[in-house]
Amino acid sequence: MRFIKPATAALAIAMLLTACNTVQATETTTTTAANVTTTAAPAETQPAVTTLSDKFAGKTYRLPAYAETLPNLKDVLAENFLIGTAINTDQLREGTTSLDIALKHYNIFTTENEMKPAYVNPEEGVFDFTAPDKFIEFGEANPDVALRGHTLVWHSQAPQWWFQGSGDGGLATSEELVARMTEYINTTVGRYKGKIKYWDVVNEAFSDSGNGLRAMNEGSFWPDIVGDLDGDGDKYDFMEQAFYIAREADPDAKLIINDYSLEQDPKKLNAFYDAVKSMLEQGVPIDGVGIQAHIQLEWPSVLNFKMAIEKLATLKEINPDLIIQITELDVSMFAWNDQSLTIEMTPENEKKLAVRYADLFDMFREEAAKGNLEAVIMWGYNDGMSWLNGYPVGGRVNHPLLFDRDLIAKPAFWGVVDRTQIDAAVAETL
Ligand code: GLA
């Protein structure tokens, strides 16, 4: 099979779009895009509040995220990079506190779960854009914000029917899987052409072993089913194909390859780097790399993180316009192998987290000044909504973000805004 090139693909794309739009119009169902590991967000129960409540009057630092007197993150960081959050469309409803917070602090947004293929294309012939459409409406109502589409090609939260078919052992054949991926990208990226600025086209394609692509033993059918389409000896072809199709579906969207542990695992970083380099050299339309950055309080060092950014930035020798984004930042209070359910947020721990965020954001500012960082997106804005309350230890109470469960700015928030304020902010937590 050959790659679909622009001239030959146009008709097929038009036919697919027509077919899929028809299906969508008649079969839209209720979206139930919920990450089982994510606890309920407070948005639905919060009344709309835009003024500082009496409870916090007189306090300087312990202010609610929506308080008018609290600095706006997006203004604080305006000279540096875009600042964003993962969010759910329920949190973007008119009249919610969460919408006020979103618009006060952030200028770039990623849907936490609702644009994942498992929810958009749950069955063959069924596309459900109910929730993604709301996200787009939010973007249209707020033209100053940028939207990220997350994600297109991923082994997790993908519809299982994609990988089943008439091949060996009931698996899909290469042709079947490529056709499904093509239909999905054309339908989804095409539907939101000009409205989604960035797409995470490929997510988590690399092995935790550091030896290249994630394969079936780590839950991904992509490289083995799609195979080496162009006969060049590698199995990057499922990614290459995805980028070519996405480029055609929306030529102006920025197409990102996204992965985790790049900032802390040099072997995985090298495998990712080598693959992206090889694809860029072959002309694959990759516009940017995403470093997820689900990190911990003590790991990795800021220096290792910085070195990862700088290594990826050398890919600008091949694509001078390559962008780098931190796409899913959160800082777990627990070490990776710690099984505890709780950790007390003593003033010492509040300070440790605040200093960690200050160190990270100082480094991010330096990298942005060198042209190496375009955006930092956090994986949620308050501790109550974080997936880290359910992963890797279920029922845990974690504290990885800038606002606490009551939506109060933590010392960590002040660490991002101005590290000289950390001690005073910690003192107010006593
Ligand atoms: C990964 C994915 C995200 C999300 C987070 C954790 O990093 O890219 O979509 O699922 O894990 O919730």
Side-chain angles (χ1 to χ4, degrees):
M1 181 190 292
R2 304 278 309 154
F3 282 145
I4 296 181
K5 297 289 185 196
T8 54
L11 182 60
I13 290 167
M15 286 167 66
L16 279 169
L17 279 175
T18 309
C20 296
N21 287 341
T22 308
V23 170
Q24 200 278 326
T26 53
E27 298 199 36
T28 296
T29 56
T30 308
T31 296
T32 54
N35 183 335
V36 287
T37 60
T38 302
T39 51
E44 289 170 273
T45 52
Q46 295 285 332
V49 182
T50 50
T51 56
L52 181 59
S53 75
D54 289 342
K55 190 175 167 197
F56 301 101
K59 299 272 188 182
T60 312
Y61 296 96
R62 282 186 52 73
L63 293 168
Y66 46 79
E68 285 175 19
T69 48
L70 196 71
N72 305 344
L73 287 175
K74 67 181 181 186
D75 296 336
V76 169
L77 297 164
E79 301 298 312
N80 309 111
F81 40 76
L82 299 172
I83 180 76
T85 183
I87 202 145
N88 304 298
T89 51
D90 238 11
Q91 295 171 310
L92 296 171
R93 277 185 295 115
E94 282 301 322
T96 54
T97 302
S98 46
L99 178 61
D100 293 343
I101 295 169
L103 292 174
K104 174 179 169 71
H105 290 291
Y106 305 105
N107 45 25
I108 181 166
F109 296 87
T110 305
T111 44
E112 185 175 9
N113 284 299
E114 293 156 316
M115 295 185 87
K116 292 175 177 171
Y119 311 119
V120 174
N121 190 196
E123 291 168 43
E124 188 160 13
V126 176
F127 282 82
D128 182 351
F129 290 110
T130 313
D133 280 356
K134 288 186 191 150
F135 186 53
I136 302 300
E137 282 164 26
F138 162 74
E140 288 178 331
N142 299 282
D144 293 342
V145 309
L147 305 185
R148 302 183 83 266
H150 176 78
T151 181
L152 299 171
V153 171
W154 190 22
H155 65 282
S156 178
Q157 291 177 278
Q160 286 314 297
W161 70 267
W162 279 9
F163 306 105
Q164 292 157 5
S166 56
D168 290 347
L171 290 178
T173 62
S174 176
E175 286 77 7
E176 285 166 343
L177 185 52
V178 170
R180 289 161 186 173
M181 177 183 82
T182 305
E183 177 189 43
Y184 187 79
I185 295 176
N186 283 333
T187 306
T188 308
V189 177
R191 182 182 183 90
Y192 299 132
K193 185 175 177 184
K195 296 175 180 171
I196 295 270
K197 184 159 181 196
Y198 307 91
W199 277 101
D200 287 330
V201 176
V202 173
N203 197 32
E204 301 184 353
F206 291 85
S207 169
D208 290 332
S209 69
N211 292 327
L213 292 171
R214 175 188 298 271
M216 289 192 193
N217 63 341
E218 289 174 290
S220 178
F221 292 101
W222 285 104
D224 286 328
I225 291 183
V226 174
D228 180 7
L229 298 179
D230 57 9
D232 67 355
D234 66 48
K235 289 188 184 173
Y236 300 153
D237 307 55
F238 71 98
M239 302 191 282
E240 296 168 359
Q241 189 81 348
F243 280 99
Y244 283 121
I245 302 292
R247 172 64 92 229
E248 277 193 46
D250 186 350
D252 295 327
K254 299 286 181 202
L255 307 180
I256 310 280
I257 182 166
N258 194 44
D259 218 316
Y260 66 87
S261 289
L262 303 177
E263 72 291 337
Q264 54 187 297
D265 181 346
K267 219 174 155 199
K268 185 166 180 177
L269 173 66
N270 285 342
F272 178 90
Y273 177 92
D274 290 347
V276 176
K277 182 166 183 282
S278 157
M279 289 191 282
L280 285 173
E281 282 168 348
Q282 289 179 41
V284 177
I286 300 173
D287 298 312
V289 295
I291 301 171
Q292 290 186 6
H294 294 294
I295 63 173
Q296 292 103 46
L297 188 62
E298 313 272 0
W299 189 263
S301 71
V302 172
L303 181 60
N304 278 354
F305 199 149
K306 180 186 174 74
M307 285 164 56
I309 293 175
E310 298 203 344
K311 179 174 174 96
L312 292 170
T314 65
L315 293 168
K316 287 191 286 187
E317 288 164 19
I318 310 169
N319 175 2
D321 299 324
L322 191 86
I323 55 179
I324 301 176
Q325 300 184 333
I326 309 299
T327 51
E328 305 185 14
L329 177 66
D330 46 28
V331 180
S332 174
M333 290 300 297
F334 300 89
W336 179 251
N337 55 359
D338 185 342
Q339 297 293 306
S340 341
L341 288 175
T342 58
I343 182 166
E344 200 187 337
M345 286 309 278
T346 58
E348 290 72 27
N349 280 336
E350 293 281 8
K351 179 163 179 173
K352 279 187 192 169
L353 186 66
V355 171
R356 176 73 159 150
Y357 268 109
D359 291 346
L360 285 166
F361 274 72
D362 281 352
M363 182 270 282
F364 294 160
R365 287 175 173 101
E366 280 174 31
E367 291 305 316
K370 293 180 196 167
N372 292 346
L373 190 59
E374 193 211 26
V376 176
I377 297 99
M378 303 205 51
W379 208 245
Y381 63 88
N382 80 84
D383 289 339
M385 71 182 281
S386 173
W387 73 300
L388 293 173
N389 296 309
Y391 185 88
V393 175
R396 168 176 268 178
V397 181
N398 210 330
H399 310 266
L401 298 169
L402 302 183
F403 301 107
D404 71 15
R405 286 166 170 71
D406 297 321
L407 304 177
I408 304 300
K410 295 159 62 173
F413 171 88
W414 295 99
V416 169
V417 171
D418 175 0
R419 70 185 310 139
T420 68
Q421 304 303 303
I422 291 175
D423 284 340
V426 170
E428 274 193 9
T429 66
L430 293 171

